[in-house]
Amino acid sequence: MISENGYLQRKSLRKSRKVQVMIFFVVLYVIAVVSLIIPLRPTQSETEQRTLTKFPTFSFASLWDGSYFQQIDLWFSDTFPFRETLISWNTELWNLSGIHTNTIHGEVQAGDEIPSVGDITKTQAASGTSTTTTSSTTQTTTTTTKSSGGDNPDGTGEQIGAIWIAGNSGYEYYTFSRSVSDRYVNLLNQVGNRLAGKANVYDIIVPNSMGVMLSDEYKQEKGITTSDQKQAIAYMSASMNDNVKSVSIFDTLRSHWKDYIYFRTDHHWTATGAYYAYEEFAKVKGFTPTPLEDYESHEYDGFLGTFYADSKMSSALGKTPDTVVTYTPTSTNDIRITGRDGNEFDWKIVMDVSDYNSSGKYSAFIGGDNPFSVIENPKRKDGSSCVVIKESYGNAFVPFLVDHYQTVYVVDYRYYEENVLDFVTENKIQDVIFINNIMATSTDQRVQEMYDITGVS
């Protein structure tokens, strides 16, 4: 026989469960209603930097084969209201759910051995073909060339795909590829040979934040298997022939590691980092750089870049967005751009991006990535000119060149479709500047794109 107290407890429990069930169905109903409100559905993803799935166009063929409803299902899930907020909350909850081991999406391959610079001869480099070595090589799965400086972040760190996250900063792994790097060297040597006596050819290889910002001791302690960027750059630079002028910037950037020279949530360097590279270029070229304090500068807060997106909106990165700092050229801020659709338009070399979304603020520099751009400096009438052959790392570098040439041409080899060497010859351009982040020199697609626009083999 159930006691009165027991009866009351069971009655209270049933009532509590009814309330819980009611709350569950109310929440479910609200979510269902919200999901059907079309105006709340996003069309763009700031963090993934892409256009979200569009509602499919009806056709009897797609209805018959079932693909129409599959596309509706994809649209429904991909454009769910407040999707990015919900994804961020999910990441937050996961981080609070206990102790986690390293989370790896994808795989970081061990790099090839980097030949010793001492084994490279000028005879080999002058040929413009792949170099060979005769003795020692250095394994690149750990850092072996000691460089002073670099940070030692607190905490255990976490690997997500090809990104290492420590504290509130992301760092990208680099894997040295001997074959692709040799192709890059061959490209530069062939370009140098083709333009010998016509134009000066400069090469700037930019290390990424993992190579510069993390100390060698930290990388060894954490077992971070990344190729030695300083040695890889030294190998490629030493393999260039006398028709290519290499601009070495690794040690310069490393000496400024305490400065804000790389973004924490994005794989790019900042304009301040690009300025230090510009100073080194000025030494090699032989001109006096404009002091940093002479530029008009602006700051744009709230930048969340590729590391934030690729880490599925890491809360550690999301809580401390980057600030994009710009430096406007003293001579002009006007640029003429040819877009990917072939149309020309006027823009600003350094744009006010206050109203840009959180992922788009790096577009402050030269209008982002476009096939071809021209900058005319009204304060120079000496006929001086250069062409910058670049990927996105070059965007923050170009503004510093403006004051030193009458004309600056910018070519993004990923989208340009003409022969750039013919352009250099026809327009009597004096300086050809290749600027690439180190990842591009080890990525076959990027190197092939440079071969395509130069016409060398």
Side-chain angles (χ1 to χ4, degrees), residues 76-370:
F76 188 86
S77 61
D78 198 36
T79 63
F80 198 88
F82 314 113
R83 68 186 296 277
E84 302 203 349
T85 300
L86 293 172
I87 293 173
S88 180
W89 286 356
N90 179 67
T91 303
E92 290 273 7
L93 289 172
W94 186 88
N95 289 335
L96 293 172
S97 64
I99 298 174
H100 306 287
T101 56
N102 288 348
T103 302
I104 302 176
H105 304 284
E107 185 178 356
V108 177
Q109 301 288 339
D112 296 335
E113 292 183 345
I114 303 174
S116 172
V117 172
D119 295 328
I120 301 169
T121 67
K122 280 295 181 181
T123 302
Q124 292 170 326
S127 68
T129 58
S130 298
T131 58
T132 58
T133 60
T134 57
S135 58
S136 62
T137 56
T138 303
Q139 182 64 31
T140 66
T141 52
T142 57
T143 301
T144 56
T145 303
K146 292 293 184 181
S147 299
S148 60
D151 195 12
N152 296 284
D154 295 330
T156 58
E158 178 185 15
Q159 182 181 341
I160 302 181
I163 303 170
W164 179 266
I165 295 180
N168 64 349
S169 299
Y171 307 89
E172 185 175 17
Y173 282 76
Y174 161 67
T175 300
F176 174 76
S177 169
R178 172 72 184 275
S179 61
V180 180
S181 297
D182 283 350
R183 287 195 72 216
Y184 179 77
V185 168
N186 177 63
L187 168 83
L188 267 293
N189 285 336
Q190 292 289 349
V191 170
N193 292 342
R194 293 271 187 97
L195 296 179
K198 300 177 183 178
N200 301 307
V201 177
Y202 298 89
D203 178 55
I204 305 173
I205 300 175
V206 186
N208 68 26
S209 60
M210 180 174 280
V212 172
M213 302 300 288
L214 293 179
S215 73
D216 297 333
E217 292 76 15
Y218 176 84
K219 283 178 278 191
Q220 289 182 343
E221 176 190 341
K222 300 299 182 182
I224 297 175
T225 55
T226 184
S227 298
D228 187 327
Q229 295 185 39
K230 179 176 181 177
Q231 188 172 0
I233 293 172
Y235 162 68
M236 287 184 278
S237 296
S239 302
M240 305 288 180
N241 65 31
D242 290 336
N243 292 322
V244 181
K245 304 176 189 296
S246 294
V247 181
S248 178
I249 65 172
F250 184 94
D251 287 339
T252 298
L253 292 174
R254 191 60 176 263
S255 68
H256 289 283
W257 73 269
K258 291 185 178 180
D259 295 347
Y260 193 23
I261 58 175
Y262 288 91
F263 294 115
R264 292 175 294 93
T265 71
D266 189 73
H267 69 284
H268 291 103
W269 58 355
T270 66
T272 303
Y275 177 82
Y276 293 132
Y278 151 75
E279 285 188 312
E280 293 305 312
F281 172 74
K283 292 178 185 177
V284 176
K285 172 66 179 171
F287 64 81
T288 301
T290 303
L292 195 59
E293 58 269 20
D294 286 2
Y295 294 99
E296 178 184 331
S297 64
H298 296 277
E299 296 185 0
Y300 305 99
D301 297 328
F303 176 44
L304 293 170
T306 53
F307 290 159
Y308 178 65
D310 293 344
S311 64
K312 307 301 180 185
M313 292 180 279
S314 161
S315 59
L317 302 184
K319 290 178 180 177
T320 53
D322 279 299
T323 298
V324 175
V325 180
T326 63
Y327 302 99
T328 305
T330 62
S331 52
T332 183
N333 195 32
D334 296 325
I335 184 172
R336 183 73 173 171
I337 294 174
T338 300
R340 299 182 205 179
D341 58 1
N343 293 324
E344 295 184 6
F345 57 94
D346 294 322
W347 205 250
K348 296 300 179 183
I349 299 169
V350 174
M351 176 62 72
D352 183 338
V353 293
S354 302
D355 297 330
Y356 283 36
N357 63 38
S358 61
S359 65
K361 294 184 184 291
Y362 187 71
S363 297
F365 308 107
I366 64 171
D369 300 324
N370 295 285

Side-chain angles (χ1 to χ4, degrees), residues 370-384:
N370 295 285
F372 183 75
S373 304
V374 182
I375 302 169
E376 296 287 354
N377 180 352
K379 296 185 178 180
R380 280 188 173 269
K381 303 295 181 183
D382 56 3
S384 58

Side-chain angles (χ1 to χ4, degrees), residues 15-56:
K15 185 177 180 180
S16 175
R17 286 176 177 172
K18 286 181 179 179
V19 171
Q20 291 173 358
V21 170
M22 288 178 63
I23 292 174
F24 172 77
F25 280 106
V26 168
V27 171
L28 197 63
Y29 177 78
V30 170
I31 292 174
V33 171
V34 169
S35 70
L36 295 174
I37 301 176
I38 300 299
L40 293 180
R41 288 188 169 272
T43 58
Q44 295 283 333
S45 172
E46 290 188 15
T47 56
E48 297 172 35
Q49 300 184 35
R50 68 178 177 90
T51 300
L52 299 176
T53 303
K54 295 181 180 179
F55 193 86

